């Protein structure tokens, strides 16, 4: 059992190095991936999976199309005027995109104040924590897309407390 665990850990390490080598071959892609990795909670592996699954966003025109491609779009269950069900995500998209954003959403809620506020708003309104995390996954995917297209690093909108106090003086 321990031998298998060591083998798997070695394979994970080798694959991570291989991902870094592949990304380092193209300087423009490496720069964009580095910009994406500035988002709290998004690492090299997540960025590489999202880029690989979307083919570098070549066929995606806007963030709504990307959200729909990932299956994170919200649909309402309705039938005329008599049946009104709950809204939920469609799950008709790429499962790999949804899976690779699952754990980064938890980390982003922990370390990114704006995403934490989004999560808290959803949980307060819906009373279901997982719906908040799915909303954060959707937001992370849109952030990754926008940073890729604009080729700029993530800028946190929150100000440090000291900077806010200086501006008040």
């Amino acid at each position: 059992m321990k031998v298998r665990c060591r083998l798997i850990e070695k394979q994970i390490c080798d694959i991570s190095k291989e991902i870094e080598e592949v990304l380092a071959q193209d300087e423009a892609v490496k720069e964009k991936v580095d910009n994406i990795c500035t988002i709290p909670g998004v690492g090299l592996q997540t960025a590489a999976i999202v880029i690989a699954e979307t083919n570098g966003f070549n066929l995606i025109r806007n963030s709504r199309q990307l959200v729909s491609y990932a299956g994170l779009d919200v649909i309402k269950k309705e039938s005329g005027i008599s049946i009104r069900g709950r809204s939920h995500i469609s799950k008709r998209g790429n499962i790999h995109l949804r899976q690779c954003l699952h754990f980064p959403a938890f980390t982003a809620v922990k370390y990114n104040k704006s995403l934490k506020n989004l999560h808290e708003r959803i949980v307060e309104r819906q009373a279901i924590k997982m719906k908040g995390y799915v909303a954060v996954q959707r937001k992370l995917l849109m952030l990754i897309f926008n940073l890729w297209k604009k080729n700029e690093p993530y800028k946190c909108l929150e100000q440090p407390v000291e900077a806010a106090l200086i501006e008040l003086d």
Side-chain angles (χ1 to χ4, degrees):
M1 183 72 167
K2 291 182 182 180
V3 175
R4 280 190 198 162
C5 288
R6 278 190 237 122
L7 175 66
I8 292 172
E9 288 173 3
K10 183 183 179 308
Q11 289 175 340
I12 290 171
C13 186
D14 291 343
I15 291 171
S16 297
K17 287 179 186 176
E18 200 171 318
I19 289 171
E20 289 177 17
E21 290 172 5
V22 168
L23 292 175
Q25 290 175 357
D26 188 0
E27 194 62 37
V29 172
K30 180 164 178 24
E31 182 183 350
K32 288 182 177 188
V33 169
D34 290 341
N35 290 337
I36 290 170
C37 290
T38 59
I39 303 171
V42 177
L44 182 66
Q45 187 176 5
T46 302
I49 291 171
V50 170
I51 292 166
E53 289 293 328
T54 58
N55 195 19
F57 304 107
N58 283 339
L59 300 176
I60 304 210
R61 293 186 300 262
N62 55 39
S63 58
R64 284 182 297 147
Q65 188 180 23
L66 176 63
V67 168
S68 179
Y69 175 72
L72 291 170
D73 52 331
V74 178
I75 58 172
K76 295 179 182 178
K77 184 177 181 181
E78 292 182 345
S79 176
I81 58 170
S82 61
I83 299 175
R84 292 203 177 141
R86 295 183 182 185
S87 59
H88 56 90
I89 62 171
S90 69
K91 294 186 182 179
R92 290 188 178 156
N94 191 326
I95 191 169
H96 302 292
L97 286 175
R98 290 193 307 276
Q99 285 177 343
C100 82
L101 292 170
H102 182 74
F103 286 115
F106 290 116
T107 307
V109 166
K110 189 174 182 180
Y111 294 107
N112 189 334
K113 192 171 183 180
S114 62
L115 294 177
K116 183 177 184 176
N117 291 338
L118 170 68
H119 179 262
E120 288 173 353
R121 271 196 330 264
I122 302 286
V123 170
E124 187 177 299
R125 190 174 53 201
Q126 300 287 329
I128 300 172
K129 287 185 180 181
M130 202 61 203
K131 281 191 178 184
Y133 286 119
V134 170
V136 171
Q137 290 175 19
R138 182 177 181 273
K139 188 69 141 181
L140 280 175
L141 188 60
M142 291 190 310
L143 276 172
I144 291 170
F145 175 72
N146 288 330
L147 294 180
W148 178 270
K149 290 294 184 182
K150 292 180 180 179
N151 196 20
E152 59 185 34
Y154 177 71
K155 296 176 191 130
C156 190
L157 298 177
E158 303 115 25
Q159 292 180 337
V161 175
E162 297 84 22
L165 292 176
I166 293 171
E167 289 182 49
L168 292 176
D169 292 336

